[in-house]
Amino acid sequence: MFLFSLFVEEGCSPTVNVENESLFPLPKETNQIKKKFQRLELEPFSLDSVESSYMGYLEMDQDTIYQIDEKFCWVFRFTKEGKLIDRSLGLGAGPKEYNTGSIDGYCRLADDYWLFVDSGDGCTFFTNTFERKDRLQIIRGGSREDKSYSNPAIYTKDYGHFIMRQMGDYAYFNVHAAEGMLSDFMFEPETYYRNVHVLMKLDLKSGKIENLLGGYPPFYYEKRLYLFQQVSFDIDLQKEQFMVSYDADSLIYCYDKDYNPLYSFGWQGKDMNTDYCNYPTMVLAKQRDKIRAKHSYYHDIKYIKELDLLFRPYTKKQEVDCDGLQIYRGQTLIADVAVPKGMVVLGYSAPYVYATTGMDGIRESVDMFRFKLE
């Protein structure tokens, strides 16, 4: 068992990096810190080893853990104890196979369906028993020659950190335009961050991109932060609210179902290195990963509806042997605890919250953790 202590500092204040309150509202005065959890006990276990590329995604739904292989297109099911149940899909033309290349992303749909996204801008629907149904082609409109930030054609999926969530008849996923607007991204980052959007709204019936949503807080263009551009989000379906987190911003921003801003909240994690310097463009272009590893940033966000809790993990920096995990109830920070490097929350099955440090292709393993919140 791993035992970690809670880190909460009384009297600290959120790092406010925003000016444009029309899209990025300042936090309410009611933001608080409460010492809810003094200790967090992690119980480690691993998923059974399988024949896989160990590239892809991990998902949890009730008592089942899924390992999705993006290269070979297999979906492995495990019990919540990590025991292999079965393997589904795989590349092929059969009714229970995947016939559109790699899996670039996925979404669990409310009607017990899966949606898998391919590199050809298509979405294939499968039942919960992985019988292939329809394929939906994403219709972006516009052309890549139109260098406008309102043109969906210049955007690409956020490969490497792709998130897709459903709300009603729509799916939402994170995008960037660093390739479509490469000149701005490299040489005019202020222009890029002032104008670029971060989410796409997809009509699940027609395949049409209905809208581009959001943007980056002013902090990004003030500091020329193309070193950091990762956007994480989740949706509270009961309240129909988006919760959006930016890797270099301590605030979490909430929006209604039409993406109108509601409020923000959030507290900077303990012992984070947030000295985001204004590096020269060419230095960043050559040493981006090396420089990023020296800094701290928020790398995921997960809402657990059963507990009505929001989890936000953060990376301290490469030289530190642990990361941090913040837990919010509403706008109140109730825990800020040290966790293993790279740990993210997957889901909940009473009485445990389940988390993982991801797939390890070298060891061919998936390390898992579970913990109680009492």
Side-chain angles (χ1 to χ4, degrees), residues 113-170:
Y113 272 68
W114 288 83
L115 183 152
F116 293 112
V117 183
D118 59 65
S119 57
D121 245 5
C123 302
T124 305
F125 295 85
F126 286 84
T127 68
N128 198 42
T129 55
F130 298 103
E131 297 178 30
R132 189 171 69 244
K133 294 300 182 181
D134 301 324
R135 184 174 185 272
L136 185 74
Q137 188 67 31
I138 298 176
I139 304 171
R140 293 172 179 261
S143 69
R144 292 186 66 84
E145 285 69 37
D146 175 13
K147 298 302 181 181
S148 166
Y149 285 99
S150 61
N151 173 22
I154 68 168
Y155 291 82
T156 58
K157 298 183 288 289
D158 190 355
Y159 295 101
H161 189 64
F162 184 78
I163 300 170
M164 178 178 273
R165 298 285 186 266
Q166 178 195 15
M167 182 162 57
D169 293 332
Y170 297 94

Short mmCIF file of all heavy atoms in Angstrom, two decimals, residues 113-170:
data_model
loop_
_atom_site.label_atom_id
_atom_site.label_comp_id
_atom_site.label_asym_id
_atom_site.label_seq_id
_atom_site.Cartn_x
_atom_site.Cartn_y
_atom_site.Cartn_z
N TYR A 113 -23.70 2.89 -26.30
CA TYR A 113 -22.93 2.67 -27.52
C TYR A 113 -21.51 3.20 -27.31
O TYR A 113 -21.24 4.01 -26.43
CB TYR A 113 -23.56 3.40 -28.71
CG TYR A 113 -24.60 2.60 -29.45
CD1 TYR A 113 -25.81 2.28 -28.86
CD2 TYR A 113 -24.38 2.16 -30.75
CE1 TYR A 113 -26.79 1.56 -29.53
CE2 TYR A 113 -25.34 1.42 -31.45
CZ TYR A 113 -26.54 1.13 -30.83
OH TYR A 113 -27.49 0.40 -31.50
N TRP A 114 -20.61 2.71 -28.15
CA TRP A 114 -19.26 3.25 -28.26
C TRP A 114 -19.15 4.03 -29.57
O TRP A 114 -19.76 3.66 -30.57
CB TRP A 114 -18.22 2.14 -28.30
CG TRP A 114 -17.99 1.43 -27.01
CD1 TRP A 114 -18.73 0.40 -26.49
CD2 TRP A 114 -16.93 1.65 -26.08
NE1 TRP A 114 -18.20 -0.03 -25.30
CE2 TRP A 114 -17.09 0.72 -25.02
CE3 TRP A 114 -15.87 2.55 -26.02
CZ2 TRP A 114 -16.23 0.66 -23.94
CZ3 TRP A 114 -15.00 2.49 -24.94
CH2 TRP A 114 -15.18 1.56 -23.91
N LEU A 115 -18.35 5.06 -29.56
CA LEU A 115 -18.02 5.78 -30.78
C LEU A 115 -16.50 5.82 -30.87
O LEU A 115 -15.83 6.29 -29.94
CB LEU A 115 -18.59 7.20 -30.76
CG LEU A 115 -18.39 8.07 -32.00
CD1 LEU A 115 -19.53 9.07 -32.11
CD2 LEU A 115 -17.07 8.83 -31.95
N PHE A 116 -15.95 5.29 -31.97
CA PHE A 116 -14.50 5.30 -32.18
C PHE A 116 -14.18 6.23 -33.34
O PHE A 116 -14.82 6.18 -34.40
CB PHE A 116 -13.99 3.90 -32.47
CG PHE A 116 -14.10 2.96 -31.30
CD1 PHE A 116 -14.98 1.89 -31.33
CD2 PHE A 116 -13.33 3.17 -30.17
CE1 PHE A 116 -15.09 1.03 -30.26
CE2 PHE A 116 -13.43 2.31 -29.08
CZ PHE A 116 -14.32 1.24 -29.12
N VAL A 117 -13.18 7.06 -33.15
CA VAL A 117 -12.79 8.08 -34.13
C VAL A 117 -11.56 7.61 -34.89
O VAL A 117 -10.59 7.13 -34.28
CB VAL A 117 -12.49 9.42 -33.44
CG1 VAL A 117 -12.15 10.49 -34.46
CG2 VAL A 117 -13.67 9.86 -32.59
N ASP A 118 -11.58 7.72 -36.23
CA ASP A 118 -10.44 7.28 -37.03
C ASP A 118 -9.73 8.48 -37.65
O ASP A 118 -10.20 9.62 -37.59
CB ASP A 118 -10.90 6.29 -38.10
CG ASP A 118 -11.94 6.87 -39.05
OD1 ASP A 118 -11.62 7.81 -39.79
OD2 ASP A 118 -13.09 6.37 -39.04
N SER A 119 -8.58 8.20 -38.25
CA SER A 119 -7.76 9.28 -38.81
C SER A 119 -8.35 9.90 -40.05
O SER A 119 -7.89 10.96 -40.50
CB SER A 119 -6.35 8.74 -39.12
OG SER A 119 -6.42 7.64 -40.02
N GLY A 120 -9.36 9.26 -40.62
CA GLY A 120 -10.02 9.82 -41.80
C GLY A 120 -11.19 10.72 -41.47
O GLY A 120 -12.06 10.96 -42.30
N ASP A 121 -11.22 11.24 -40.23
CA ASP A 121 -12.30 12.11 -39.77
C ASP A 121 -13.65 11.41 -39.79
O ASP A 121 -14.69 12.00 -40.07
CB ASP A 121 -12.37 13.40 -40.60
CG ASP A 121 -12.04 14.63 -39.76
OD1 ASP A 121 -11.67 14.46 -38.58
OD2 ASP A 121 -12.15 15.75 -40.27
N GLY A 122 -13.62 10.12 -39.49
CA GLY A 122 -14.85 9.36 -39.40
C GLY A 122 -15.08 8.87 -37.98
O GLY A 122 -14.16 8.76 -37.18
N CYS A 123 -16.34 8.57 -37.68
CA CYS A 123 -16.73 8.04 -36.37
C CYS A 123 -17.56 6.78 -36.61
O CYS A 123 -18.57 6.83 -37.31
CB CYS A 123 -17.55 9.05 -35.58
SG CYS A 123 -16.73 10.63 -35.28
N THR A 124 -17.14 5.65 -36.04
CA THR A 124 -17.86 4.40 -36.19
C THR A 124 -18.55 4.04 -34.89
O THR A 124 -17.93 4.08 -33.82
CB THR A 124 -16.92 3.27 -36.61
OG1 THR A 124 -16.21 3.64 -37.79
CG2 THR A 124 -17.71 1.99 -36.89
N PHE A 125 -19.84 3.70 -34.98
CA PHE A 125 -20.64 3.36 -33.80
C PHE A 125 -20.65 1.85 -33.60
O PHE A 125 -20.86 1.09 -34.55
CB PHE A 125 -22.07 3.87 -33.97
CG PHE A 125 -22.20 5.36 -34.03
CD1 PHE A 125 -22.04 6.04 -35.22
CD2 PHE A 125 -22.49 6.10 -32.89
CE1 PHE A 125 -22.17 7.42 -35.28
CE2 PHE A 125 -22.62 7.47 -32.93
CZ PHE A 125 -22.45 8.14 -34.12
N PHE A 126 -20.44 1.43 -32.35
CA PHE A 126 -20.53 0.03 -31.97
C PHE A 126 -21.46 -0.11 -30.77
O PHE A 126 -21.54 0.78 -29.93
CB PHE A 126 -19.15 -0.52 -31.59
CG PHE A 126 -18.24 -0.76 -32.75
CD1 PHE A 126 -17.48 0.27 -33.28
CD2 PHE A 126 -18.13 -2.03 -33.33
CE1 PHE A 126 -16.63 0.05 -34.36
CE2 PHE A 126 -17.29 -2.25 -34.40
CZ PHE A 126 -16.53 -1.21 -34.93
N THR A 127 -22.12 -1.25 -30.71
CA THR A 127 -22.94 -1.54 -29.53
C THR A 127 -22.02 -1.87 -28.36
O THR A 127 -20.80 -2.00 -28.52
CB THR A 127 -23.88 -2.73 -29.77
OG1 THR A 127 -23.09 -3.91 -29.90
CG2 THR A 127 -24.70 -2.52 -31.03
N ASN A 128 -22.61 -2.05 -27.19
CA ASN A 128 -21.83 -2.39 -26.01
C ASN A 128 -21.20 -3.78 -26.11
O ASN A 128 -20.26 -4.11 -25.39
CB ASN A 128 -22.71 -2.31 -24.75
CG ASN A 128 -21.89 -2.22 -23.48
OD1 ASN A 128 -20.90 -1.51 -23.42
ND2 ASN A 128 -22.31 -2.94 -22.46
N THR A 129 -21.73 -4.62 -27.04
CA THR A 129 -21.14 -5.94 -27.30
C THR A 129 -20.26 -5.89 -28.55
O THR A 129 -19.90 -6.93 -29.10
CB THR A 129 -22.23 -7.00 -27.46
OG1 THR A 129 -23.15 -6.59 -28.48
CG2 THR A 129 -22.98 -7.20 -26.15
N PHE A 130 -19.94 -4.68 -29.02
CA PHE A 130 -19.01 -4.42 -30.10
C PHE A 130 -19.46 -4.99 -31.45
O PHE A 130 -18.68 -5.53 -32.22
CB PHE A 130 -17.60 -4.91 -29.73
CG PHE A 130 -17.06 -4.19 -28.53
CD1 PHE A 130 -17.05 -4.81 -27.29
CD2 PHE A 130 -16.62 -2.89 -28.63
CE1 PHE A 130 -16.58 -4.15 -26.16
CE2 PHE A 130 -16.15 -2.21 -27.51
CZ PHE A 130 -16.13 -2.84 -26.28
N GLU A 131 -20.74 -4.81 -31.72
CA GLU A 131 -21.26 -5.05 -33.06
C GLU A 131 -21.26 -3.73 -33.82
O GLU A 131 -21.81 -2.74 -33.36
CB GLU A 131 -22.68 -5.62 -32.98
CG GLU A 131 -22.78 -6.95 -32.29
CD GLU A 131 -24.22 -7.44 -32.21
OE1 GLU A 131 -25.01 -7.09 -33.10
OE2 GLU A 131 -24.54 -8.14 -31.24
N ARG A 132 -20.63 -3.73 -34.98
CA ARG A 132 -20.49 -2.49 -35.73
C ARG A 132 -21.83 -2.06 -36.31
O ARG A 132 -22.56 -2.85 -36.91
CB ARG A 132 -19.47 -2.66 -36.86
CG ARG A 132 -19.13 -1.33 -37.54
CD ARG A 132 -17.96 -1.44 -38.52
NE ARG A 132 -18.31 -2.22 -39.70
CZ ARG A 132 -17.74 -3.36 -40.01
NH1 ARG A 132 -16.82 -3.89 -39.23
NH2 ARG A 132 -18.11 -4.01 -41.11
N LYS A 133 -22.14 -0.78 -36.14
CA LYS A 133 -23.38 -0.22 -36.68
C LYS A 133 -23.06 0.80 -37.77
O LYS A 133 -22.57 0.43 -38.83
CB LYS A 133 -24.20 0.40 -35.54
CG LYS A 133 -24.72 -0.62 -34.53
CD LYS A 133 -25.63 -1.65 -35.19
CE LYS A 133 -26.19 -2.64 -34.20
NZ LYS A 133 -27.07 -3.65 -34.83
N ASP A 134 -23.29 2.07 -37.50
CA ASP A 134 -23.12 3.09 -38.52
C ASP A 134 -21.75 3.74 -38.47
O ASP A 134 -21.04 3.66 -37.47
CB ASP A 134 -24.20 4.18 -38.35
CG ASP A 134 -25.60 3.61 -38.44
OD1 ASP A 134 -25.80 2.68 -39.25
OD2 ASP A 134 -26.47 4.08 -37.69
N ARG A 135 -21.39 4.42 -39.56
CA ARG A 135 -20.20 5.26 -39.60
C ARG A 135 -20.61 6.66 -39.99
O ARG A 135 -21.35 6.85 -40.95
CB ARG A 135 -19.15 4.73 -40.58
CG ARG A 135 -17.84 5.55 -40.56
CD ARG A 135 -16.77 4.91 -41.44
NE ARG A 135 -15.50 5.61 -41.33
CZ ARG A 135 -15.13 6.64 -42.08
NH1 ARG A 135 -15.97 7.11 -43.00
NH2 ARG A 135 -13.95 7.21 -41.91
N LEU A 136 -20.15 7.60 -39.21
CA LEU A 136 -20.50 9.01 -39.41
C LEU A 136 -19.27 9.76 -39.88
O LEU A 136 -18.21 9.68 -39.24
CB LEU A 136 -21.01 9.60 -38.09
CG LEU A 136 -21.54 11.02 -38.09
CD1 LEU A 136 -22.90 11.07 -38.76
CD2 LEU A 136 -21.65 11.53 -36.65
N GLN A 137 -19.35 10.43 -41.01
CA GLN A 137 -18.24 11.24 -41.49
C GLN A 137 -18.35 12.65 -40.92
O GLN A 137 -19.41 13.29 -41.02
CB GLN A 137 -18.21 11.30 -43.01
CG GLN A 137 -16.97 11.97 -43.59
CD GLN A 137 -15.69 11.17 -43.34
OE1 GLN A 137 -15.74 9.94 -43.27
NE2 GLN A 137 -14.57 11.87 -43.20
N ILE A 138 -17.27 13.12 -40.31
CA ILE A 138 -17.28 14.48 -39.77
C ILE A 138 -17.22 15.48 -40.91
O ILE A 138 -16.32 15.43 -41.75
CB ILE A 138 -16.10 14.70 -38.81
CG1 ILE A 138 -16.22 13.75 -37.61
CG2 ILE A 138 -16.05 16.14 -38.33
CD1 ILE A 138 -15.05 13.82 -36.64
N ILE A 139 -18.20 16.37 -40.95
CA ILE A 139 -18.29 17.39 -42.01
C ILE A 139 -17.85 18.72 -41.40
O ILE A 139 -18.59 19.35 -40.65
CB ILE A 139 -19.72 17.49 -42.56
CG1 ILE A 139 -20.18 16.12 -43.06
CG2 ILE A 139 -19.79 18.53 -43.67
CD1 ILE A 139 -21.66 16.07 -43.41
N ARG A 140 -16.65 19.13 -41.74
CA ARG A 140 -16.11 20.36 -41.16
C ARG A 140 -16.57 21.61 -41.92
O ARG A 140 -16.81 22.66 -41.33
CB ARG A 140 -14.58 20.32 -41.14
CG ARG A 140 -14.01 19.26 -40.20
CD ARG A 140 -12.51 19.14 -40.39
NE ARG A 140 -11.95 18.15 -39.47
CZ ARG A 140 -11.34 18.45 -38.33
NH1 ARG A 140 -11.22 19.71 -37.97
NH2 ARG A 140 -10.85 17.50 -37.56
N GLY A 141 -16.63 21.51 -43.23
CA GLY A 141 -16.91 22.69 -44.04
C GLY A 141 -15.65 23.52 -44.20
O GLY A 141 -14.63 23.29 -43.55
N GLY A 142 -15.69 24.50 -45.08
CA GLY A 142 -14.53 25.36 -45.31
C GLY A 142 -13.42 24.62 -46.02
O GLY A 142 -13.57 23.49 -46.50
N SER A 143 -12.26 25.26 -46.11
CA SER A 143 -11.09 24.67 -46.76
C SER A 143 -9.85 25.12 -46.02
O SER A 143 -9.84 26.16 -45.34
CB SER A 143 -11.00 25.10 -48.23
OG SER A 143 -10.70 26.47 -48.32
N ARG A 144 -8.77 24.36 -46.16
CA ARG A 144 -7.53 24.70 -45.46
C ARG A 144 -6.86 25.94 -46.04
O ARG A 144 -5.95 26.50 -45.43
CB ARG A 144 -6.57 23.51 -45.50
CG ARG A 144 -7.06 22.33 -44.67
CD ARG A 144 -6.01 21.22 -44.62
NE ARG A 144 -4.81 21.62 -43.90
CZ ARG A 144 -4.66 21.56 -42.57
NH1 ARG A 144 -5.67 21.14 -41.81
NH2 ARG A 144 -3.53 21.92 -42.01
N GLU A 145 -7.32 26.36 -47.21
CA GLU A 145 -6.77 27.60 -47.79
C GLU A 145 -7.34 28.84 -47.09
O GLU A 145 -6.76 29.91 -47.16
CB GLU A 145 -7.08 27.67 -49.29
CG GLU A 145 -6.23 26.73 -50.15
CD GLU A 145 -6.56 25.28 -49.93
OE1 GLU A 145 -7.77 24.96 -49.73
OE2 GLU A 145 -5.63 24.45 -49.93
N ASP A 146 -8.46 28.69 -46.45
CA ASP A 146 -9.09 29.81 -45.73
C ASP A 146 -8.43 29.94 -44.36
O ASP A 146 -8.73 29.20 -43.44
CB ASP A 146 -10.59 29.54 -45.58
CG ASP A 146 -11.28 30.61 -44.74
OD1 ASP A 146 -10.68 31.67 -44.49
OD2 ASP A 146 -12.43 30.37 -44.32
N LYS A 147 -7.50 30.87 -44.23
CA LYS A 147 -6.75 31.04 -42.99
C LYS A 147 -7.54 31.94 -42.03
O LYS A 147 -7.16 33.07 -41.74
CB LYS A 147 -5.37 31.61 -43.28
CG LYS A 147 -4.50 30.71 -44.15
CD LYS A 147 -4.31 29.33 -43.49
CE LYS A 147 -3.42 28.43 -44.34
NZ LYS A 147 -3.24 27.09 -43.73
N SER A 148 -8.64 31.39 -41.54
CA SER A 148 -9.48 32.09 -40.59
C SER A 148 -9.66 31.21 -39.37
O SER A 148 -9.89 30.00 -39.49
CB SER A 148 -10.83 32.41 -41.22
OG SER A 148 -11.76 32.80 -40.23
N TYR A 149 -9.59 31.79 -38.19
CA TYR A 149 -9.72 31.00 -36.97
C TYR A 149 -11.16 30.52 -36.73
O TYR A 149 -11.39 29.70 -35.86
CB TYR A 149 -9.24 31.82 -35.77
CG TYR A 149 -7.74 31.94 -35.71
CD1 TYR A 149 -7.09 33.08 -36.18
CD2 TYR A 149 -6.97 30.90 -35.20
CE1 TYR A 149 -5.71 33.17 -36.12
CE2 TYR A 149 -5.59 30.99 -35.14
CZ TYR A 149 -4.96 32.13 -35.61
OH TYR A 149 -3.58 32.22 -35.57
N SER A 150 -12.09 31.00 -37.52
CA SER A 150 -13.47 30.51 -37.45
C SER A 150 -13.73 29.38 -38.43
O SER A 150 -14.85 28.89 -38.53
CB SER A 150 -14.44 31.66 -37.72
OG SER A 150 -14.25 32.19 -39.02
N ASN A 151 -12.69 28.95 -39.15
CA ASN A 151 -12.81 27.91 -40.16
C ASN A 151 -12.43 26.55 -39.55
O ASN A 151 -11.27 26.32 -39.22
CB ASN A 151 -11.89 28.23 -41.34
CG ASN A 151 -11.83 27.11 -42.36
OD1 ASN A 151 -12.73 26.28 -42.44
ND2 ASN A 151 -10.76 27.09 -43.15
N PRO A 152 -13.39 25.62 -39.38
CA PRO A 152 -13.07 24.32 -38.76
C PRO A 152 -12.03 23.51 -39.52
O PRO A 152 -11.39 22.63 -38.94
CB PRO A 152 -14.42 23.60 -38.74
CG PRO A 152 -15.45 24.68 -38.85
CD PRO A 152 -14.81 25.75 -39.70
N ALA A 153 -11.85 23.78 -40.81
CA ALA A 153 -10.95 22.97 -41.63
C ALA A 153 -9.49 23.11 -41.23
O ALA A 153 -8.68 22.22 -41.51
CB ALA A 153 -11.12 23.33 -43.10
N ILE A 154 -9.13 24.18 -40.57
CA ILE A 154 -7.71 24.37 -40.20
C ILE A 154 -7.36 23.66 -38.89
O ILE A 154 -6.19 23.60 -38.51
CB ILE A 154 -7.35 25.87 -40.08
CG1 ILE A 154 -8.07 26.50 -38.87
CG2 ILE A 154 -7.67 26.61 -41.37
CD1 ILE A 154 -7.54 27.88 -38.51
N TYR A 155 -8.35 23.11 -38.21
CA TYR A 155 -8.12 22.49 -36.91
C TYR A 155 -7.87 20.99 -37.04
O TYR A 155 -8.40 20.35 -37.94
CB TYR A 155 -9.30 22.74 -35.97
CG TYR A 155 -9.44 24.17 -35.53
CD1 TYR A 155 -10.07 25.11 -36.35
CD2 TYR A 155 -8.95 24.60 -34.30
CE1 TYR A 155 -10.20 26.43 -35.96
CE2 TYR A 155 -9.08 25.91 -33.90
CZ TYR A 155 -9.71 26.83 -34.72
OH TYR A 155 -9.83 28.15 -34.33
N THR A 156 -7.09 20.45 -36.11
CA THR A 156 -6.87 19.02 -36.03
C THR A 156 -7.21 18.54 -34.61
O THR A 156 -7.17 19.32 -33.65
CB THR A 156 -5.41 18.64 -36.34
OG1 THR A 156 -4.54 19.32 -35.42
CG2 THR A 156 -5.04 19.03 -37.76
N LYS A 157 -7.54 17.27 -34.51
CA LYS A 157 -7.77 16.68 -33.19
C LYS A 157 -6.49 16.80 -32.35
O LYS A 157 -5.39 16.78 -32.90
CB LYS A 157 -8.19 15.22 -33.34
CG LYS A 157 -9.49 15.03 -34.10
CD LYS A 157 -9.91 13.57 -34.15
CE LYS A 157 -9.05 12.73 -35.07
NZ LYS A 157 -9.29 13.04 -36.49
N ASP A 158 -6.64 16.91 -31.07
CA ASP A 158 -5.49 17.03 -30.19
C ASP A 158 -4.89 15.64 -29.97
O ASP A 158 -5.11 14.99 -28.95
CB ASP A 158 -5.89 17.66 -28.85
CG ASP A 158 -4.67 18.01 -28.01
OD1 ASP A 158 -3.55 17.68 -28.43
OD2 ASP A 158 -4.84 18.62 -26.95
N TYR A 159 -4.12 15.20 -30.97
CA TYR A 159 -3.51 13.88 -30.90
C TYR A 159 -2.59 13.79 -29.68
O TYR A 159 -1.84 14.71 -29.39
CB TYR A 159 -2.70 13.60 -32.17
CG TYR A 159 -3.54 13.50 -33.41
CD1 TYR A 159 -3.63 14.56 -34.31
CD2 TYR A 159 -4.26 12.35 -33.69
CE1 TYR A 159 -4.41 14.47 -35.45
CE2 TYR A 159 -5.05 12.24 -34.82
CZ TYR A 159 -5.11 13.31 -35.70
OH TYR A 159 -5.89 13.22 -36.83
N GLY A 160 -2.66 12.69 -28.97
CA GLY A 160 -1.85 12.51 -27.79
C GLY A 160 -2.56 12.89 -26.51
O GLY A 160 -2.18 12.46 -25.42
N HIS A 161 -3.61 13.71 -26.62
CA HIS A 161 -4.41 14.08 -25.45
C HIS A 161 -5.87 14.27 -25.87
O HIS A 161 -6.54 15.21 -25.47
CB HIS A 161 -3.86 15.35 -24.80
CG HIS A 161 -4.50 15.66 -23.48
ND1 HIS A 161 -4.39 14.84 -22.38
CD2 HIS A 161 -5.28 16.70 -23.08
CE1 HIS A 161 -5.06 15.37 -21.37
NE2 HIS A 161 -5.62 16.49 -21.77
N PHE A 162 -6.35 13.37 -26.71
CA PHE A 162 -7.69 13.53 -27.28
C PHE A 162 -8.76 13.18 -26.24
O PHE A 162 -8.72 12.12 -25.62
CB PHE A 162 -7.84 12.64 -28.50
CG PHE A 162 -9.15 12.79 -29.21
CD1 PHE A 162 -9.36 13.87 -30.05
CD2 PHE A 162 -10.16 11.87 -29.05
CE1 PHE A 162 -10.58 14.02 -30.72
CE2 PHE A 162 -11.37 12.01 -29.71
CZ PHE A 162 -11.58 13.09 -30.54
N ILE A 163 -9.72 14.08 -26.08
CA ILE A 163 -10.84 13.87 -25.17
C ILE A 163 -12.13 14.13 -25.95
O ILE A 163 -12.24 15.14 -26.64
CB ILE A 163 -10.78 14.84 -23.96
CG1 ILE A 163 -9.50 14.62 -23.17
CG2 ILE A 163 -12.00 14.65 -23.06
CD1 ILE A 163 -9.26 15.69 -22.11
N MET A 164 -13.09 13.20 -25.85
CA MET A 164 -14.40 13.40 -26.47
C MET A 164 -15.48 13.05 -25.45
O MET A 164 -15.40 12.01 -24.79
CB MET A 164 -14.55 12.55 -27.73
CG MET A 164 -15.92 12.67 -28.40
SD MET A 164 -16.09 11.71 -29.94
CE MET A 164 -15.45 12.90 -31.13
N ARG A 165 -16.47 13.94 -25.32
CA ARG A 165 -17.57 13.74 -24.39
C ARG A 165 -18.89 14.05 -25.09
O ARG A 165 -18.97 14.94 -25.95
CB ARG A 165 -17.43 14.67 -23.17
CG ARG A 165 -16.17 14.44 -22.33
CD ARG A 165 -16.30 13.18 -21.50
NE ARG A 165 -15.16 13.04 -20.61
CZ ARG A 165 -14.07 12.33 -20.89
NH1 ARG A 165 -13.97 11.73 -22.07
NH2 ARG A 165 -13.08 12.22 -20.02
N GLN A 166 -19.92 13.31 -24.70
CA GLN A 166 -21.25 13.52 -25.27
C GLN A 166 -22.12 14.32 -24.30
O GLN A 166 -22.04 14.14 -23.08
CB GLN A 166 -21.95 12.19 -25.54
CG GLN A 166 -23.36 12.34 -26.10
CD GLN A 166 -24.17 11.06 -26.03
OE1 GLN A 166 -23.80 10.12 -25.33
NE2 GLN A 166 -25.29 11.01 -26.75
N MET A 167 -22.94 15.20 -24.87
CA MET A 167 -24.02 15.83 -24.12
C MET A 167 -25.20 16.00 -25.08
O MET A 167 -25.12 16.74 -26.06
CB MET A 167 -23.60 17.18 -23.53
CG MET A 167 -24.71 17.84 -22.70
SD MET A 167 -24.11 19.14 -21.57
CE MET A 167 -23.29 20.27 -22.71
N GLY A 168 -26.27 15.27 -24.83
CA GLY A 168 -27.42 15.32 -25.72
C GLY A 168 -27.09 14.74 -27.09
O GLY A 168 -26.50 13.67 -27.21
N ASP A 169 -27.46 15.46 -28.12
CA ASP A 169 -27.24 15.01 -29.50
C ASP A 169 -25.88 15.42 -30.04
O ASP A 169 -25.61 15.29 -31.24
CB ASP A 169 -28.32 15.59 -30.42
CG ASP A 169 -29.70 15.02 -30.13
OD1 ASP A 169 -29.78 13.88 -29.63
OD2 ASP A 169 -30.70 15.73 -30.37
N TYR A 170 -25.01 15.90 -29.18
CA TYR A 170 -23.71 16.42 -29.63
C TYR A 170 -22.56 15.75 -28.90
O TYR A 170 -22.69 15.28 -27.77
CB TYR A 170 -23.64 17.93 -29.40
CG TYR A 170 -24.66 18.70 -30.19
CD1 TYR A 170 -25.89 19.03 -29.62
CD2 TYR A 170 -24.42 19.09 -31.50
CE1 TYR A 170 -26.85 19.73 -30.35
CE2 TYR A 170 -25.37 19.79 -32.24
CZ TYR A 170 -26.58 20.11 -31.67
OH TYR A 170 -27.53 20.79 -32.38
#
